[in-house]
Amino acid sequence: MTRFRNTVNGQPRGGDQWIASLNPFDGEAWAEIPRGTAADADEAVTAAHKAFSSGPWPAMTATARGKLLRRFGDLILRDAEKLAAIEVRDNGKLYAEMLGQLRYIPEWFHYFGGLADKIEGGVLPMDKPEMFAFTKPEPLGVVVAITPWNSPLLLLAWKLAPALAAGCTVVIKPSEFTSCSTLALMELVAEAGFPPGVVNTVTGYGSEIGTALSEHPLVAKLAFTGGDATGTAVYSSAAKGLKHVTLELGGKSPNIIFDDARLEDAVKGAISGIFAASGQTCIAGSRLLVQRSVYEEVAQRVTAFAGTAQMGDPMLDTTQVGPITTVPQRDKVLSYIDMARQEGARCLLGGGRPSRPDLARGWFVEPTIFADVDNSMRIAREEVFGPVLSIIPFEDEDHAVEIANDTIYGLAAGVWTGSTRRAFLMADKLQAGTVWVNTYRAVSFMAPFGGYKKSGIGRESGQAAIREYLQTKTVWINLAEGVSNPFVLR
Ligand code: NDP
């Protein structure tokens, strides 16, 4: 069995205890990761703080940092197949999906590598004579990046690239279900030439090392993606130490189909919104809002399309729906399916574990569709994070907006329409950090991503993301000789 080790201050670190990493397709243990302790967390943060405060990293120019990031991106591209295969063994998502992500991740390091030396301060116009003042962006310090199990390296890249470009140092805490690809990535951190201590890892259970990391006095910022309950705990920890945060906490995103849409495309958009990645994505379009006049037709077409989706080995090109990443998550999804039935939703497809013997050892849940869902039902209000679609009818634009915004979340929304007027109107009225029109599940290193309402705080990707890892220093230089009355504000 492969044993992956942590990296602290450039050195490999094992552990007294190990956690088995299980393959969601067959339930077999295939690798082990260290079960870190609070002492390990302290050591990793201390190493990151030392690397931030002294040695080659703070002395390095932003241009040199940018080159390191770009080299790192090139190395990830070189090893994309290897890293993607590790992710599939850990989280059970399709190899095609993970390879696509791995081949795209380098763009974040190229983009933020390019941005590293383009973040300028400014000379301030000054109302006081003989006073010169300017601003200077400076890195925040040690960043703890906490990542979930659904897309470990993509969601890490969204944090690591801007943090390093800004000049911060980082401690990564991946989900204990899917730590292996992050630990494998550390070989490339070293190969790219990052000085020891700039990027460190500590693996283990969130319940055992989460607080030690998020309340550590030497940590300046927490960058977290995960569930809203854990996100709230992380935010509370951050508040105790007045730390900066970026939180990305999932959603209950509406994917809205109007009767003037090209229904063939809209149906594919509905499928990609919920069944790609077995619904284990923060941007899942888990509420499909369909205009009443085309409701039955769309429900029938989405059901027919989803009914053809091939479940199977995620390594195979022919597979379209893989297993759920963890046993607790599979059980959570199944419990929501039961709940939807009890709430009176009409099950059009799926509704349980598949009966195929070749899938019996894997943690599969059938693509499941419920019609006649009311937005007040729990299946429409809570994040399921699985392949479960709720179809909700609406009458007109105002009604669609009312239902779409009637949620505690606000991560993303989709709109399918043939009308430009309607596209702009809906984009204005939807309370979501991302609105897609006639497309779904598109992300880019150039496009800010984050949540409204309880879907999170801050933005990842895009130029603004680097500012999330910087603070502004204002420098005043008195050019006059002598100091005036010390008892008066200058
Ligand atoms: P969590 O939100 O608990 O996990 C996210 C990360 O936080 C993991 O690395 C986890 O580590 C870590 N963590 C857990 N507890 C703490 C803590 N006290 N302090 C710091 N870090 C901590 O995800 P779950 O696996 O529990 O999933 C629960 C639900 O969250 C899912 O059903 C889904 O609805 C949602 N989710 C949303 C995601 C998104 O992309 N927005 C991604 C994943 C889940 P560890 O795993 O070791 O506990």
Side-chain angles (χ1 to χ4, degrees):
M1 192 175 330
T2 316
R3 267 196 168 173
F4 290 89
R5 286 173 170 72
N6 277 306
T7 301
V8 175
N9 202 26
Q11 298 300 313
R13 285 280 189 288
D16 293 338
Q17 295 187 51
W18 297 78
I19 300 172
S21 207
L22 309 178
N23 183 337
F25 177 58
D26 57 17
E28 298 284 332
W30 76 277
E32 285 184 324
I33 57 157
R35 177 174 172 176
T37 61
D40 295 324
D42 178 56
E43 197 193 2
V45 172
T46 305
H49 189 257
K50 185 160 170 263
F52 179 76
S53 315
S54 59
W57 185 246
M60 199 179 280
T61 63
T63 307
R65 278 204 310 272
K67 282 184 184 158
L68 280 184
L69 264 98
R70 293 197 294 277
R71 193 180 308 154
F72 184 48
D74 292 343
L75 294 174
I76 296 172
L77 191 59
R78 184 196 70 191
D79 287 359
E81 285 88 356
K82 180 179 138 195
L83 291 165
I86 294 174
E87 297 227 296
V88 176
R89 263 179 233 126
D90 254 359
N91 73 6
K93 282 169 81 171
L94 303 186
Y95 180 70
E97 159 93 352
M98 299 330 282
L99 185 59
Q101 288 190 8
L102 260 300
R103 287 186 175 150
Y104 198 27
I105 284 169
E107 298 291 354
W108 270 264
F109 293 98
H110 293 159
Y111 178 83
F112 283 100
L115 199 55
D117 61 3
K118 292 166 194 69
I119 303 301
E120 297 171 347
V123 173
L124 302 176
M126 188 41 70
D127 63 320
K128 300 178 198 311
E130 298 190 272
M131 191 71 86
F132 184 79
F134 61 96
T135 59
K136 198 170 167 286
E138 293 190 343
L140 285 177
V142 176
V143 173
V144 169
I146 304 174
T147 53
W149 37 261
N150 52 337
S151 292
L153 290 185
L154 183 70
L155 297 172
L156 173 61
W158 293 10
K159 298 160 182 54
L160 193 56
L164 294 176
C168 294
T169 57
V170 181
V171 175
I172 307 166
K173 152 65 184 97
S175 165
E176 93 273 3
F177 294 111
T178 57
S179 294
C180 297
S181 57
T182 299
L183 301 189
L185 188 77
M186 291 304 292
E187 286 173 23
L188 305 186
V189 169
E191 190 179 341
F194 287 99
V198 171
V199 186
N200 310 272
T201 60
V202 52
T203 54
Y205 297 109
S207 54
E208 294 179 353
I209 56 173
T211 308
L213 286 170
S214 48
E215 295 189 8
H216 199 294
L218 295 180
V219 170
K221 162 153 184 143
L222 304 167
F224 172 88
T225 300
D228 52 359
T230 311
T232 304
V234 167
Y235 197 20
S236 305
S237 295
K240 286 185 198 161
L242 286 179
K243 300 181 195 312
H244 297 251
V245 292
T246 311
L247 302 170
E248 200 273 271
L249 307 179
K252 197 74 201 172
S253 300
N255 200 359
I256 307 168
I257 301 180
F258 284 95
D259 61 6
D260 63 358
R262 280 168 56 102
L263 291 190
E264 194 186 333
D265 294 343
V267 165
K268 285 188 194 153
I271 298 283
S272 89
I274 190 67
F275 297 125
S278 295
Q280 299 171 104
T281 150
C282 50
I283 50 183
S286 51
R287 290 186 299 151
L288 187 67
L289 275 51
V290 184
Q291 196 155 20
R292 180 85 66 189
S293 46
V294 290
Y295 183 80
E296 285 303 334
E297 181 186 353
V298 169
Q300 183 267 320
R301 286 169 75 164
V302 171
T303 304
F305 200 125
T308 66
Q310 285 297 315
M311 276 184 281
D313 182 346
M315 288 302 289
L316 299 179
D317 286 347
T318 47
T319 301
Q320 293 165 314
V321 177
I324 301 294
T325 300
T326 76
V327 171
Q329 186 61 27
R330 180 203 59 193
D331 294 345
K332 176 180 165 184
V333 175
L334 292 172
S335 75
Y336 271 101
I337 290 173
D338 286 346
M339 191 188 298
R341 282 205 175 95
Q342 284 161 21
E343 288 179 307
R346 175 164 54 111
C347 187
L348 300 181
L349 185 73
R353 301 177 62 178
S355 54
R356 270 171 47 194
D358 59 316
L359 303 181
R361 292 196 305 154
W363 308 327
F364 285 87
V365 175
E366 295 173 306
T368 297
I369 298 178
F370 286 104
D372 302 342
V373 173
D374 186 279
N375 201 50
S376 62
M377 294 177 181
R378 280 183 68 188
I379 192 70
R381 304 202 76 76
E382 298 174 20
E383 188 176 46
V384 177
F385 225 66
V388 183
L389 181 66
S390 296
I391 314 187
I392 304 172
F394 69 87
E395 308 301 336
D396 55 19
E397 285 163 358
D398 285 347
H399 193 207
V401 169
E402 183 190 323
I403 299 172
N405 289 342
D406 179 18
T407 167
I408 58 170
Y409 296 109
L411 190 61
V415 179
W416 298 86
T417 177
S419 155
T420 310
R421 181 200 67 81
R422 186 170 262 169
F424 277 97
L425 181 105
M426 294 300 287
D428 260 1
K429 292 194 169 177
L430 290 169
Q431 294 163 357
T434 294
V435 176
W436 291 294
V437 177
N438 294 333
T439 184
Y440 204 87
R441 223 171 158 250
V443 294
S444 166
F445 48 92
M446 295 176 172
F449 180 84
Y452 278 27
K453 302 196 278 188
K454 288 198 177 171
S455 285
I457 294 174
R459 291 293 176 271
E460 299 190 300
S461 302
Q463 287 194 31
I466 197 169
R467 293 272 172 201
E468 305 262 356
Y469 295 88
L470 292 165
Q471 53 195 339
T472 299
K473 179 177 279 175
T474 304
V475 180
W476 297 75
I477 300 179
N478 182 14
L479 303 174
E481 288 191 354
V483 173
S484 54
N485 185 349
F487 298 103
V488 176
L489 184 71
R490 304 205 71 200

